[in-house]
Amino acid sequence: MRSRAAFAVTLSLLAAVIGGVSALALAKATGWLDSGTRRSVIVQTPALAQAISSATAPEVRPLLGNGFSPARIYRARSAGVVTIDAIYGQTGSGALETQGSGFVVSARGYILTDAHVITTAGASGGGRAIPAQQVFVEFEDGDRVPATVVGWDIYDDVGLIKVDPHAHRLAPVPLGQSAQVNVGDPVAAIGSPFGNVDSLTVGVVSATRRSIDSLTSRYSLVDAIQTDAPINHGNSGGPLFDARGRVIGINAQIRSDTGAAAGVGFAVPIDSAKRSMLQLISAGRVSYAYIGIETEDLIPSVAKQLGYPVRQGAVITIVHGHSPGAAAGLHAGSNPVEVLGTEFIRGGDVIVSIAGHRVGSAADIVRLVTEDLSPGQSVPLTFVRGDQRHQVTIRLGERPASPR
């Protein structure tokens, strides 16, 4: 009898971790500049495009046609979806074991999954993520082979493992582009809910560009894909396919009051996972740019009521000490007021542009810093203080494990 891990943390909303972790909390997404987790779009430089092509399986083509056939997707892609067992400690009755899903992305043996499937990231009590001591991959035909942990990204909840490409026939699945996903697009999820391997569920994309609390870090994950395709425990790390059989996301969370599927699931966008995977393959770790501020949205109606000279932007509510934002002299607000039925922190600088890109919301800051910028880079930042517009140059740091 396998011992399954179950961890529970209660916050304002209950979010089920779909792998071996039973439930964690989802709360309203914040506007951390250092928060969030990366992007929905990877900047496709020639070097990056070549790296993605060599790391994955470009020879696997999308399915033909414009119709949505779950049966066809299952027939074509299920062989590339695997069940992952992660064991912490020695095997036996006292061992802690978690189970999730994953999918083969390369003939070289690379398999993508969630970080919380192969590490302790997200377990109650916090602390650093500890990888499983043993990882086993079970294929569609029931065969089982060992795998090694290549690395993980706690910010985007992405994990990468590798099997010997000669140990079993591999059927890599093609990766799509989550930036091109639209609300209403049909999707199919394949995974091992509750240990029921090779299970198929279908639905639609309910929303895109969602900003949600990460299950595995203290930052927010931006550009998550929301779907009503039923996702349950054990689906974590499995692929979310579009109508042409391309992976557009990694199933990661559900929002539920009971811990069961309730029609609100979330997937890590595959564009984010690609970036994580390439960093893990090349460097064994991921790095994110960091400014060290928290922000909230400035919307037109609030701007008008409070007399702001701009209609939209990101208002700074906290500047962390000894951060790039503090060094640049950015100011945080300290005057809470009630506006239109919600609390708003006024008095902080309103960021309207970073590195030449317009900022219209707190999520835009997260997106720009994590998608387009790198640690050590110096970029211009434009903000409004009072009635004056200012520009400073900020040298970006590297995101710490916890906000400071």
Side-chain angles (χ1 to χ4, degrees):
M1 186 74 177
R2 289 176 174 172
S3 171
R4 301 292 181 196
F7 306 103
V9 177
T10 302
L11 294 179
S12 58
L13 295 172
L14 184 67
V17 178
I18 309 152
V21 184
S22 65
L24 291 173
L26 277 175
K28 182 177 72 173
T30 63
W32 295 67
L33 199 178
D34 48 294
S35 88
T37 301
R38 183 181 359 262
R39 62 269 138 200
S40 188
V41 181
I42 289 184
V43 179
Q44 291 286 353
T45 63
L48 183 55
Q50 182 178 0
I52 291 175
S53 178
S54 62
T56 57
E59 69 279 3
V60 182
R61 302 303 180 190
L63 301 177
L64 298 176
N66 297 318
F68 178 61
S69 172
R72 186 170 68 137
I73 293 172
Y74 184 83
R75 287 194 301 270
R77 303 298 184 228
S78 60
V81 182
V82 300
T83 300
I84 299 174
D85 284 312
I87 300 173
Y88 303 82
Q90 299 299 315
T91 57
S93 59
L96 175 64
E97 182 180 353
T98 64
Q99 188 179 82
S101 303
F103 51 99
V104 181
V105 297
S106 167
R108 293 158 59 187
Y110 289 112
I111 295 172
L112 274 174
T113 184
D114 284 323
H116 73 256
V117 171
I118 58 171
T119 76
T120 58
S124 60
R128 67 187 182 90
I130 299 173
Q133 289 182 310
Q134 297 181 78
V135 177
F136 297 96
V137 169
E138 183 176 320
F139 292 89
E140 182 186 35
D141 61 4
D143 197 15
R144 186 178 173 93
V145 301
T148 58
V149 176
V150 178
W152 59 90
D153 176 357
I154 62 170
Y155 304 118
D156 269 358
D157 195 6
V158 174
L160 185 66
I161 61 176
K162 191 175 188 295
V163 297
D164 181 349
H166 303 294
H168 189 279
R169 186 183 68 83
L170 300 178
V173 298
L175 305 184
Q177 292 181 294
S178 50
Q180 297 180 356
V181 172
N182 298 304
V183 174
D185 287 350
V187 290
I190 302 179
S192 303
F194 303 112
N196 298 299
V197 300
D198 302 320
S199 296
L200 170 72
T201 60
V202 298
V204 299
V205 173
S206 305
T208 60
R209 298 170 73 95
R210 287 297 196 206
S211 182
I212 61 176
D213 278 11
S214 169
L215 294 177
T216 51
S217 77
R218 298 184 181 181
Y219 299 93
S220 296
L221 189 155
V222 298
D223 291 346
I225 298 171
Q226 181 180 326
T227 179
D228 68 347
I231 297 173
N232 290 285
H233 303 291
N235 274 117
S236 244
L240 187 68
F241 291 104
D242 66 9
R244 300 190 63 190
R246 298 169 296 196
V247 180
I248 58 170
I250 304 177
N251 298 318
Q253 301 182 17
I254 60 173
R255 179 177 174 181
S256 172
D257 291 328
T258 64
V264 184
F266 297 98
V268 176
I270 198 62
D271 291 346
S272 299
K274 289 177 187 177
R275 180 179 183 273
S276 299
M277 176 180 64
L278 292 175
Q279 287 197 40
L280 292 173
I281 292 173
S282 62
R285 61 185 295 271
V286 297
S287 62
Y288 287 77
Y290 172 77
I291 293 181
I293 62 174
E294 297 180 41
T295 63
E296 63 181 341
D297 293 343
L298 177 65
I299 60 176
S301 55
V302 171
K304 181 178 180 180
Q305 187 162 329
L306 297 181
Y308 280 91
V310 292
R311 291 173 54 82
Q312 287 182 284
V315 180
I316 299 176
T317 58
I318 293 177
V319 178
H320 292 285
H322 309 292
S323 68
L330 298 179
H331 289 182
S334 59
N335 180 20
V337 295
E338 186 174 325
V339 185
L340 302 175
T342 62
E343 185 179 84
F344 181 84
I345 308 297
R346 67 185 303 178
D349 295 337
V350 184
I351 299 175
V352 295
S353 174
I354 296 178
H357 298 280
R358 177 182 174 275
V359 170
S361 67
D364 284 344
I365 296 180
V366 180
R367 223 171 261 119
L368 289 167
V369 172
T370 56
E371 289 175 7
D372 299 337
L373 306 176
S374 303
Q377 189 175 354
S378 294
V379 298
L381 183 147
T382 303
F383 64 90
V384 174
R385 180 180 297 168
D387 294 327
Q388 301 296 315
R389 186 177 291 251
H390 304 269
Q391 185 176 95
V392 294
T393 298
I394 290 187
R395 181 176 175 81
L396 301 172
E398 182 171 345
R399 180 190 290 180
S402 298
R404 294 178 296 194

